[in-house]
Amino acid sequence: SYVLTQPPSVSVAPGQTARITCGGDNIGSKNVHWYQQKPGQAPVLVISYDSDRPSGIPERFSGSNSGNTATLTISRVEAGDEADYYCQVWDSSRDLNWVFGGGTKLTVL
Amino acid sequence: QVQLVQSGAEVKKPGASVKVSCKASGYTFTSHYIYWVRQAPGQGLEWMGIMYPSGGSTRYAQNLQGRVTMTRDTSTSTVYMQLSSLRSDDTAVYYCARQMGAEESPFDYWGQGTLVTVSS
């Protein structure tokens, strides 16, 4: 089955740029969605279809996807961005299946 | 506004069954697929299955086949997820989520989550 690999943690100082990667075999050929999850809360969609930003999501959030890596970029990081971030793709290669990455804990120093 | 409101926390013994509800409002219930996703303590997200509210058909993740059943009641715009033969590793927060649109579209609205604890 398809596997998505995320770094367990990323740390960044306030005001700096955070980049969270999501690796997968030829992931550039798939649509990648990103979710933010704060402690005790449900996930929130922050990027869809690689780089689309849903209504209400700050412009500081952006995404890209090419080759074997998709990246969520958070510019001018704020304390409120501290959360777990998950990437998600639809895997139609064998069993129709949604696949989530293992999640990345973003710590704002 | 779109809302998915789930039933409250449950504590079950191993071998028992649990049924979690997800009541949708603020949109046409039959126009969007509903997924169930679970999250074990300190772990990531796991897709469980999908309910197609318009026709009632379902599809489940392979690792849960035979133990999970999803149903819906169109009169109350509610989707149900029942998990049987519970084990300790089924302890998790269970979420329902609405799929935005077509097959590969993301989940744009989520329920608040239901904690299911399996313990003897």
Side-chain angles (χ1 to χ4, degrees):
Chain A
S1 60
Y2 195 76
V3 176
L4 294 175
T5 302
Q6 296 183 237
S9 63
V10 167
S11 298
V12 64
Q16 300 303 303
T17 297
R19 293 179 179 83
I20 298 172
T21 59
C22 176
D25 184 33
N26 196 26
I27 195 174
S29 67
K30 300 181 181 297
N31 291 312
V32 179
H33 312 306
W34 289 92
Y35 299 88
Q36 174 194 70
Q37 186 180 34
K38 297 182 179 179
Q41 297 183 20
V44 172
L45 180 68
V46 293
I47 291 290
S48 62
Y49 295 103
D50 299 342
S51 59
D52 290 345
R53 203 173 44 252
S55 170
I57 302 301
E59 291 183 8
R60 301 183 296 104
F61 287 79
S62 62
S64 62
N65 184 19
S66 178
N68 294 318
T69 305
T71 303
L72 172 68
T73 300
I74 309 172
S75 305
R76 303 181 299 283
V77 167
E78 302 174 356
D81 298 331
E82 186 162 290
D84 293 326
Y85 292 85
Y86 294 90
C87 57
Q88 178 199 34
V89 301
W90 173 252
D91 177 27
S92 59
S93 60
R94 194 165 59 178
D95 303 312
L96 299 178
N97 192 19
W98 279 106
V99 180
F100 289 95
T104 298
K105 168 69 176 177
L106 175 65
T107 300
V108 181
L109 301 170
Chain B
Q1 72 283 21
V2 174
Q3 281 192 305
L4 299 174
V5 179
Q6 299 182 221
S7 49
E10 303 262 13
V11 179
K12 296 291 183 181
K13 293 192 182 303
S17 296
V18 68
K19 191 171 186 178
V20 180
S21 67
C22 171
K23 183 174 176 59
S25 63
Y27 71 98
T28 302
F29 176 64
T30 52
S31 296
H32 292 264
Y33 303 156
I34 293 290
Y35 279 82
W36 288 90
V37 176
R38 69 179 179 178
Q39 186 172 37
Q43 301 300 308
L45 302 170
E46 178 189 11
W47 167 72
M48 299 179 65
I50 179 174
M51 155 63 69
Y52 302 88
S54 60
S57 60
T58 55
R59 185 160 48 81
Y60 307 130
Q62 272 206 330
N63 64 319
L64 293 172
Q65 290 272 3
R67 289 207 300 137
V68 67
T69 305
M70 296 175 187
T71 57
R72 97 290 193 215
D73 182 344
T74 56
S75 68
T76 60
S77 299
T78 302
V79 177
Y80 300 91
M81 185 284 299
Q82 180 167 329
L83 189 61
S84 61
S85 303
L86 288 169
R87 311 185 293 243
S88 59
D89 62 357
D90 291 318
T91 294
V93 176
Y94 289 75
Y95 294 101
C96 60
R98 188 187 84 159
Q99 187 168 29
M100 180 186 290
E103 187 170 60
E104 296 188 37
S105 62
F107 305 161
D108 58 352
Y109 288 92
W110 294 65
Q112 82 276 19
T114 297
L115 174 62
V116 175
T117 303
V118 182
S119 174
S120 55

